Amino acid sequence: MKALSQKRRHPLAALALLVLGLMLTGGLYAIATTVNAAKADTTTSSASQVKEGEKLFVANCATCHGVGASGTKAGPSLAGVGAAAVDFQVGTGRMPLQMQGPQAREKPAQFTTEQTRELAAYVATLGDGPALPAEEFIDGKGDAAVGGELFRVNCAMCHNAAAAGGALTRGKFAPALAGVSNSHIYSAMITGPQNMPVFNDANITPEGKRDIITFLNTIEAQGSPGGAALGSVGPVSEGLFLWTAVLGVIIGFTIWLTSRTS
Amino acid sequence: MSTITEAPFEPQTSAGRITNFVDQRVGGSGILREFGRKVFPDHWSFMFGEVALYSFVILLLSGTFLTFFFDPSMAETHYTGSYIPLKGVEMSVAYSSSLNISFDIRGGLFMRQVHHWSALLFVAAVAVHMLRVFFTGAFRKPRELNWVVGGVLLILSMAAGFTGYSLPDDLLSGNGLRIIDGVMKSIPVVGTYISFFLFGGEFPGNAIIGRLYMLHIMLVPAMILLMIAIHLFMVVIHKHTQYPGPGRNDGNVVGYPLGPVYAAKAGGFFFIVFGIIAFVAALFTINPIWNYGPYDPSPVSAGTQPDWYIGWVDGALRLMPGWLFNIPLEWHIPLPWGVNTLSLNVLIPALVPAGIVFTLLFAYPWIERWVTRDDREHHVLDRPRNVPTRTAIGVAGFIFYCVMWAAASSDLIATHFQVSLNDVTYWLRALFFIGPILGFIIAKRVALALQRKDREIALHGRETGRIVRLPHGEFQEMHAQLDDYKRYKLVGFESPVAEEGIPNENGIVTKTERRRAMLSSFFFEDRVAPATPLELAAGHEQHEAIEAGEDAKEVSH
C-alpha cells in the first residue's frame, strides 16, 4: 500500500490508471456480451458456422440464388428471409429444388441438421429475418381447443380441417401436415413458404402458434376414433368407398344368392 | 242363412291352436296362400330394390336410436364432453349432442356410422335399381307409373339424406347449407324471401336445425314409406319382370314362389346387408364431425363436399364460370322497386342440369311409347344390347351425371393425381358437353357390335379353336353349334324398324307425326336384325359336315 501511495505521482501513474480502467471496462463489456451471446445461442451462430455455410451455399445454392444470394432469374434473393426460412426449406428437403414447377415438393433432406444450421447461419447474416423458433413455443404443450379454433379459422381453408391437405390453383397445393416437425410448422407460419401466407406475430401470437402446434400434435396422436379414416378428405372418399367396396361386396352376395338356380 | 257343411278344423298342438285362433280372426292363411305363391324370377340384378328397402329399414332402426340422444337446438353452449381438442369451445347444442353421441354414449358412434353408411347405400341402391330398370326396359307398359314413383323415391331419398347431413351443425354441413342458401337466393325476386322463410331470418339464424330435424324424422320418412308401399303394391299387381329365355313370355313368370325358398333368401339377404353395413360402420369412419368443428359462417375447410348423391349439383356449380368471355353472368337489373341481382352463374348450374335430368327421367317412358307406338304390355325385359338407342341414351345421361359428379371432387382429383386444378375444371367443362355425345355414339356402336356378334354365333356357332385339314388340303376351324336354349337367347328378341310418318284420317302427315317419324328413324335406323329361322337353317347347313358331336358340348361365350 505504502509503495502504491508513494508512486501515485509517478509520471506513468496516469497511464497505468488509464490502462487499468480501460481493461476493467473492456473486460466487463466482454463478459456482458458473452452472456448475451450464450442466451441467443440458438439463433446466432459462430463465425465458423457462417463460413462453412457460405461454402455449402456456393457449392449447392448459388446456381439459382446467385453468389452472395443476391438472386438470379432462376431464384429469388435470400437477403432477409432469415434462418427460419432456410431451416424449413432445406430441412424438409424442398431445397435444393428438384425441378422447376408450380411448387417445391417435400423430399428426403439433402443436408444434415448441422449443415442446415450452417446454411441458415450464413443466410441469416445477409439481412434481418425470422430466426429459428424458440423452444418454448414448439413444445406442443399449449391449449389444443384454442389451437383448433385458430386452425379452422386460419389454416383449414387450404390444409383441410383435419390437416389432410388440399388443392390450390394451377397445380399448387397445401400439403398434409401429419409428420411435419413442430419446428418446421412454426417456421412455415412465420416465413410463409411456397404459396403459404406469412402469419406474423401480430396475426397469430407465438402462444397461438404454440396452440395450433398442440392441436396438430393432438389430432395426429389420437388417430381416428371411428375406424379407418379413408384419407380424412371428407365425403368424396366415403362415397368412393361405398360405390366400390361396399356395393362390390353386395353385388357379390346377390350373385351368390341367385347363382344356384339360374 | 248359411250352414256349416264341413267339420271345423280342430288343431292338436298348442301352436296349432294359436295359429288357428289368429287365422279365424284375420284370415292369415288366405293372405299367405296368395302371397306365398307369388313367383319371383332369380337374377342378381333384381336385388337392388331389396338392398334399398333393407337399407331403409336399417335407417329407421339406427335413426330411432339416434333420436334418443340428439338435441336439435341451436342454443349456444360450451362443450364439456370427453373430446379434448374441442373442450370448452363454444358451439350449438345440436353439435354438442352429436359429439356426445359419438364419444360419450355407449355404441353411439357405431350407430351414427351405421346410420350414415346405410344412408349412402340407400341412395346408391335406389340409383343402381333405377339404372337396371332403365337399361332393361322394365319401365314400359304397364310399369310407367311405378317408374315415376321410383323417381319420386329417388328425390325423397336425396332430400332425406341432405336434411340428415345438415343436422349435426358441424362446419362441413354448415358450408353445405350455405350453398343451398346461396342457390335459393339466386332465384329471381322471390329467392331472398324463400331463404328468410326457411332460415327464420338471415342465414344461419337459430331455427334451421330444428326445422330440418322435423323434416328428417317425420315428413320425409313418412313420404318415403308411403311411396314404398305404393311401389311394392304395384309390383304385386304387375308381377315381376323376367329376362328373356326359353319358356318365358309376357304371360308368365318363371322363378321360385315366395314361400319358402324366396322368402328365406330375401330374409337372409336382409341380414347380409345389415351385416355388411355393420362391418363397414365398425371399421371405417364416416363423417368425422369432430374434425370439422362447430359451424361458424367464417371458416371454410378445404375438401368441403356434400355426400355423394348431392355431389353432381355441387359439381355443376364448380364447373360454371363466373364470366363467359367478357360477359359477366351476374347482372344487376333495375326494377321499379329497386335493383335486383340476377346471379345466373349460380341459378343456371343449380337448376338447369337437375331440371334436364329429372324431366327426361320422368318423361322417358312416355317419350319412348310415343316414338314406338308400342301399346302392348311388356313383362319380358330387353337385353340392353338389343335396344341400342335406348342403351345409348342411358349411357349419355349417365355420363352427363358422372361428369358433374366428378367435378364435385375436382380439388381431390388435382391433389391426388398431381395435376392442375384449373386443367381438371377445363377438361370437365369440355366433357360436360362432349362426354354425353361420345358416350351415346360409343355405347350405340358397342351395342350394335354385340348384336352382330350374337347373330354370328347364332348362325355359325362358336369357334372351337380346333383346326381341321380337309381331304383337299383346305384348313378350316371347327364351329360348335349352340343348343336351342342358348340360341333362343340370341335370336328371341324384337327389332323394330324405323317408321315413316303415318297419315291421319284426312290423309295428311301432321307436323307432330313427322317429328315422330324422325325420332323413329333416330331410334331404329341402325339395326341388326335377329337371325330368322330360315337364316339359321341355312347357316347350319354350311357347317353340318364338321358339326357332328359338338352339339352336346357346353358352350360359353
Side-chain angles (χ1 to χ4, degrees), chain B residues 14-277:
Chain B
S14 58
R17 275 193 289 280
I18 294 166
T19 317
N20 194 40
F21 178 89
V22 175
D23 185 35
Q24 284 178 353
R25 278 152 188 83
V26 297
S29 64
I31 297 171
L32 209 62
R33 193 160 48 233
E34 175 64 27
F35 282 92
R37 288 179 185 172
K38 284 224 86 78
V39 168
F40 285 90
D42 247 358
H43 193 272
W44 65 270
S45 69
F46 292 160
M47 314 236 355
F48 291 108
E50 271 177 64
V51 176
L53 181 65
Y54 298 153
S55 336
F56 186 67
V57 173
I58 298 164
L59 280 171
L60 291 181
L61 294 174
S62 54
T64 306
F65 177 91
L66 295 177
T67 59
F68 295 162
F69 304 102
F70 179 70
D71 183 349
S73 159
M74 290 179 88
E76 280 166 27
T77 182
H78 289 267
Y79 181 65
T80 53
S82 51
Y83 186 66
I84 302 292
L86 286 172
K87 211 146 205 162
V89 171
E90 191 179 354
M91 59 180 64
S92 69
V93 171
Y95 184 57
S96 168
S97 68
S98 307
L99 286 173
N100 287 338
I101 289 173
S102 305
F103 293 114
D104 293 299
I105 286 160
R106 199 172 295 276
L109 180 55
F110 174 69
M111 290 306 260
R112 252 198 67 223
Q113 299 200 144
V114 164
H115 194 69
H116 207 130
W117 278 119
S118 46
L120 294 197
L121 180 63
F122 175 52
V123 197
V126 170
V128 176
H129 179 57
M130 289 193 89
L131 286 172
R132 195 279 294 170
V133 167
F134 181 87
F135 283 112
T136 59
F139 56 82
R140 290 172 300 168
K141 188 180 176 183
R143 296 183 178 77
E144 298 101 322
L145 289 177
N146 222 11
W147 168 257
V148 170
V149 171
V152 172
L153 271 169
L154 178 66
I155 294 173
L156 284 174
S157 63
M158 285 166 64
F162 189 80
T163 50
Y165 167 88
S166 306
L167 290 182
D169 200 22
D170 57 314
L171 187 58
L172 183 70
S173 70
N175 287 328
L177 267 182
R178 183 49 147 171
I179 294 173
I180 296 289
D181 176 54
V183 168
M184 277 190 289
K185 282 179 176 158
S186 75
I187 300 169
V189 186
V190 294
T192 44
Y193 294 92
I194 295 175
S195 167
F196 271 50
F197 172 73
L198 181 71
F199 290 95
E202 181 55 86
F203 177 90
N206 49 21
I208 185 67
I209 299 292
R211 290 177 181 181
L212 290 177
Y213 188 56
M214 283 303 120
L215 294 176
H216 183 71
I217 69 165
M218 288 173 68
L219 185 67
V220 179
M223 284 167 76
I224 290 178
L225 270 176
L226 177 69
M227 286 295 151
I228 287 178
I230 296 172
H231 201 68
L232 293 181
F233 178 70
M234 285 208 264
V235 170
V236 170
I237 288 183
H238 297 144
K239 300 184 180 59
H240 207 287
T241 51
Q242 55 190 343
Y243 279 103
R248 298 177 181 185
N249 58 46
D250 283 331
N252 67 9
V253 186
V254 179
Y256 269 95
L258 186 63
V261 175
Y262 205 80
K265 274 191 178 185
F269 192 43
F270 170 74
F271 292 104
I272 288 173
V273 172
F274 207 157
I276 292 169
I277 287 177

Side-chain angles (χ1 to χ4, degrees), chain A residues 42-218:
Chain A
T42 50
T43 51
T44 63
S45 14
S46 69
S48 71
Q49 270 187 315
V50 173
K51 215 173 151 197
E52 284 302 313
E54 186 170 9
K55 277 187 199 159
L56 283 169
F57 187 89
V58 171
N60 295 286
C61 318
T63 319
C64 301
H65 290 291
V67 179
S70 52
T72 67
K73 271 182 189 167
S77 159
L78 298 183
V81 301
V86 178
D87 183 54
F88 179 86
Q89 302 280 6
V90 179
T92 61
R94 285 177 168 81
M95 290 289 157
L97 198 59
Q98 194 166 31
M99 58 184 254
Q100 292 286 353
Q103 189 164 319
R105 287 180 179 277
E106 196 180 351
K107 62 180 189 297
Q110 273 170 265
F111 296 100
T112 62
T113 318
E114 184 49 39
Q115 287 170 323
T116 309
R117 279 288 153 83
E118 287 163 359
L119 272 171
Y122 167 66
V123 171
T125 62
L126 302 173
D128 280 343
L132 294 180
E135 283 297 329
E136 53 184 306
F137 296 125
I138 56 172
D139 59 359
K141 288 182 182 142
D143 186 335
V146 174
E149 281 192 296
L150 284 170
F151 187 83
R152 282 188 291 277
V153 173
N154 292 289
C155 322
M157 62 280 291
C158 299
H159 285 288
N160 165 316
L168 302 174
T169 54
R170 302 214 178 274
K172 295 171 283 197
F173 64 97
L177 300 181
V180 182
S181 77
N182 290 353
S183 148
H184 286 153
I185 294 172
Y186 197 99
S187 295
M189 285 191 274
I190 53 175
T191 60
Q194 318 297 334
N195 299 289
M196 183 166 159
V198 171
F199 294 91
N200 61 27
D201 287 354
N203 206 325
I204 300 176
T205 61
E207 288 74 22
K209 294 188 174 98
R210 182 183 180 218
D211 292 340
I212 289 175
I213 288 168
T214 309
F215 169 74
L216 290 171
N217 290 347
T218 311

Side-chain angles (χ1 to χ4, degrees), chain B residues 305-519:
Chain B
Q305 275 99 4
D307 274 345
W308 77 260
Y309 42 83
I310 306 288
W312 62 302
V313 185
D314 185 49
L317 283 165
R318 288 186 186 209
L319 287 184
M320 187 73 185
W323 289 64
L324 264 184
F325 306 105
N326 282 328
I327 306 158
L329 290 172
E330 187 186 296
W331 297 342
H332 300 278
I333 301 166
L335 290 166
W337 55 83
V339 176
N340 271 33
T341 305
L342 184 60
S343 259
L344 290 176
N345 52 344
V346 178
L347 191 66
I348 291 174
L351 300 182
V352 172
I356 293 173
V357 166
F358 281 113
T359 307
L360 284 179
L361 185 138
F362 283 119
Y364 190 79
W366 283 273
I367 296 173
E368 195 179 296
R369 188 161 167 264
W370 174 63
V371 172
T372 58
R373 292 195 306 124
D374 183 355
D375 206 28
R376 295 166 300 157
E377 289 209 356
H378 291 279
H379 298 288
V380 174
L381 298 171
D382 290 322
R383 296 174 80 205
R385 68 183 63 170
N386 291 338
V387 200
T389 306
R390 182 204 294 149
T391 303
I393 290 171
V395 168
F398 182 70
I399 288 176
F400 184 66
Y401 180 96
C402 285
V403 168
M404 290 186 279
W405 200 16
S409 53
S410 53
D411 55 331
L412 293 169
I413 293 173
T415 50
H416 284 73
F417 294 100
Q418 304 194 352
V419 288
S420 159
L421 178 62
N422 303 51
D423 292 344
V424 174
T425 305
Y426 300 149
W427 273 99
L428 288 173
R429 275 179 189 163
L431 277 177
F432 179 84
F433 295 103
I434 301 166
I437 298 170
L438 281 179
F440 181 90
I441 294 168
I442 292 169
K444 188 164 179 180
R445 290 299 130 190
V446 167
L448 287 168
L450 286 170
Q451 274 188 295
R452 281 195 198 97
K453 190 198 92 181
D454 281 358
R455 194 182 142 87
E456 181 70 22
I457 291 172
L459 284 177
H460 304 296
R462 76 179 166 92
E463 295 166 354
T464 59
R466 277 171 56 204
I467 313 289
V468 171
R469 190 178 181 195
L470 299 181
H472 57 276
E474 181 192 343
F475 287 96
Q476 199 169 10
E477 184 176 7
M478 305 271 281
H479 280 70
Q481 283 300 335
L482 305 184
D483 63 65
D484 287 345
Y485 292 96
K486 295 241 151 76
R487 193 183 302 117
Y488 179 85
K489 260 187 154 174
L490 305 185
V491 297
F493 65 93
E494 286 177 12
S495 176
V497 284
E499 281 189 326
E500 299 279 310
I502 299 165
N504 62 8
E505 62 268 26
N506 299 327
I508 296 163
V509 180
T510 57
K511 211 179 228 174
T512 326
E513 184 57 25
R514 274 209 299 279
R515 267 189 217 124
R516 195 191 69 77
M518 268 170 61
L519 274 175

